[in-house]
Amino acid sequence: MNAIKVAACVTLAMLMVVSATVILSTDSDAATSDSWDGVQDDSWYEEGTTEFTLTTAEQLAGLAKLVNEGITFEGITVKLDTDITLTGHGWTPIGDSGRVDPEESIESIHLFKGVFDGQGHRIIGLSAGEDYTTQAVNSEGAYTFGLFGFVYDATIRNIVLEDVNIDLGATGATSCDSAGSVAGYGLGDTIIEDITVINGAIISTDATGGIIGRYYGDTIRIVDCSCDVDVSSTDSEGGKAGGIIGITAYVSSAQLDNCDVTGTMSGVYAGGIIGIANSSTAGCVQSFTGCDVSDSQIQASLIAGGIAGRGSIGVSITECSVSNSTVSTTSDAVSDQGTAGGIMGAQGGSDNTVTVKDCEVLGCTVNAEENAGGMIGSTIGPSVTIEGGTVSDSMITAVGDERGTIMTSAGGVVGRISTSTGVEQAILIDGVGFGSR
């Protein structure tokens, strides 16, 4: 076992690895609508109108019906004027198509391209229902789930989602591979802001997030969101789970600012904010600023991170904190060589650059079979910069495997730096050194 106890404050000055309007009701003062009876009311829709205000669960379900019949609501704003209760009936997402990759045609896809403004109102009791079978699937038999299933160039804002219960982790002829409380899957240029999730539980077979499961480009901006949520992926080979988003890929820009998470995240890859921040786009920027994870359990079978599980091209994590939380890996059939970090589990890929600046890890336990670090568990890319920040009152442990065959590495800042991908030097000033290099 290789363990480091950080009892006092560790101040990190710099670490660098170089080489690298239709009003549908006038009763806007109603606190909460009556319980939903499962009916979809689309009678409010009038072609050519650019703004609608919904006041019942039936009308909200009617929005799903319209989108799932091919109306994208591009250039249209839809607002909520009251709290909505969905308890008792399984929800059909607004945009019910299975995901497609960015290069595929979206001509026949049911997706939402408008603006949805909850105006601070609650949507209570979102769930898939025990007999949920109406979701459209893609060629792989996979579907998406959330309040919105598929969003494209959309803006979604000012919603409180309360008592979310999405349990779609079972595999079979069809399966849910992208799930989140707000949206399952997204493409294009999308903004999600001012969302609060209270008492949420979300399970899918693959990409699972407190806000959105999977985003495959071009740009995504998630700002001022808060999640009290348990998120889990059941895919034992590559499941991604994040408190805000499961995975990004193919993006040119991903921006997550001022997002807070409390809960449990579990998968093969798990992160307090994002499971995997991935992209193959040159010049990609993926920034996480002012995000906080507290009182959480982040558990992975392979890579776990307090903010990000695994990061790749252009990842920048600034002024984020992880406190009173456990970040850990548990050996299973995938690999007995787990990696965990207080801020990021692992930086992966030989062309990737990562920056961690002015971040804090406070009162945390970081455990992994192979590599454990107060800030980053392991690095293999050509450029990693850690500047400023603190690690305090935390235990960092690399526990090894039952056979005793793993070379363990634990460090107050970085668990292990690989020299196999051209890393030439590591510089640390006024901090704790590396567990292994």
Side-chain angles (χ1 to χ4, degrees), residues 240-263:
K240 306 98 180 165
I244 297 295
I245 184 169
I247 181 174
T248 55
Y250 309 106
V251 297
S252 62
S253 174
Q255 177 184 350
L256 282 78
D257 295 345
N258 302 322
C259 293
D260 302 330
V261 171
T262 297

Side-chain angles (χ1 to χ4, degrees), residues 133-159:
T133 58
T134 59
Q135 186 83 357
V137 300
N138 63 9
S139 60
E140 300 173 353
Y143 59 87
T144 65
F145 193 89
L147 178 65
F148 296 82
F150 197 140
V151 295
Y152 190 113
D153 291 346
T155 297
I156 303 168
R157 60 186 179 226
N158 301 328
I159 312 169

Side-chain angles (χ1 to χ4, degrees), residues 336-356:
D336 57 7
Q337 300 178 355
T339 294
I343 297 297
M344 177 184 290
Q347 176 228 16
S350 60
D351 298 327
N352 299 333
T353 61
V354 168
T355 299
V356 176

Side-chain angles (χ1 to χ4, degrees), residues 171-183:
T171 59
T174 63
S175 62
C176 178
D177 74 350
S178 307
S181 60
V182 173

